[in-house]
Amino acid sequence: GIKRYTNLDNRTFAFSFYYSIMNIAALVAGPAVDMVRTFYPHGVMIYGIHFSSLRVILLSSASSTLLMMIVVGMGVREIEVDEQGNVIEYERNKESSWDQTKQVLQSPAFWRLTLFTFLMVGVRLVFRHVDATMPKYLIREFGESAPFGLVYAINPFLIIFFVPILGLIIRDMASFDVILIGSYISALAPFWICIDNAYWTVIMFMVTLSIGEAIYSPRVYEYTMEISGRGQEGIYSSLASAPLFSVKLLVGGMSGWLLAHYCPAEGERKSRTMWAIIGGSSIIAPILMTLLRNVIDPPEEDTDKEEFLALDENGVFEEKKRNKLKGPQVSQLSSSKPISIEDS
């Protein structure tokens, strides 16, 4: 949807803005969880049915999601914006789902994206440990009153401000370069807690994690749309979202094992070692992305170029090269060789 509603001039900022808006909800959610746990520790009665504090949180989440589905269903229009900024009617891909799937599976770009998303699982590992491991860690190291909801809120609070600012600063950088830099920063974040079990290291962990996320995460969406063909954005974006869900399968068991062995409820704890293991398992991903860069994001070759003629402002034809167009994308002109009409 964002790709269809934007053009090259504002797409990077649009993805950054979209990501900031998502994090407003996350910012509200953290303190809201703490408030529900504080004011309704034993739950509430709703129409004669007892709801625990956790079920109240889940019920409110489901209700707000249903409301937004209604708004989106009634308000979204089937349009797209061309590269001149004109709003035009969107034409659906009339090919069958099977034909579209075959085209995607035959595309080298799809398999490069598959490798890329597989490696991104390692980076997303840290974020899932914030959900699965951090609350238990804080309670066991700092007591039952540890405000893990407030600690969690540090991330979306910083994202809301960092993403648009950093998006404007690094908008001219290639998407893969940006993703690589942000991935390294996020993967290194857990090593802060290896210094000491203290609130200041936890805060620095969240700040570093947020800076890395603000740099790379919006560009993951943009990078996915850059390589997807027209009408194939849904398949590609679904694949790009795979790390968000597949990593939960890995982190669930990993978190339980780490907490049981290094941060148990009773007995000796080695929490700093636990976070060192988490950091070490995460840093492998950006290292592999660096080593496999030419596979995931191969350099452009002349075979990927196409020539075309265009008139300049003086009425003289220019022979130009550009990246082969993919769907509605308009690639940057990479070279030009002026020729006159007589030459042509």
Side-chain angles (χ1 to χ4, degrees), residues 48 108 268 279 288 314 330:
E268 182 183 5
L288 289 176
N314 297 318
V330 178

Side-chain angles (χ1 to χ4, degrees), residues 37-81:
R37 289 173 59 239
T38 301
F39 292 106
Y40 304 101
H42 305 295
V44 296
M45 295 293 294
I46 301 178
Y47 294 108
I49 301 174
H50 179 264
F51 288 86
S52 66
S53 56
L54 179 58
R55 288 184 176 180
V56 171
I57 295 170
L58 294 175
L59 180 62
S60 63
S61 300
S63 301
S64 60
T65 301
L66 177 61
L67 177 61
M68 289 302 101
M69 287 177 61
I70 296 173
V71 172
V72 170
M74 297 176 61
V76 173
R77 295 187 296 162
E78 290 289 351
I79 60 171
E80 63 180 329
V81 178

Side-chain angles (χ1 to χ4, degrees), residues 23-38:
N23 277 272
I24 292 177
L27 175 62
V28 174
V33 170
D34 282 344
M35 289 177 61
V36 172
R37 289 173 59 239
T38 301

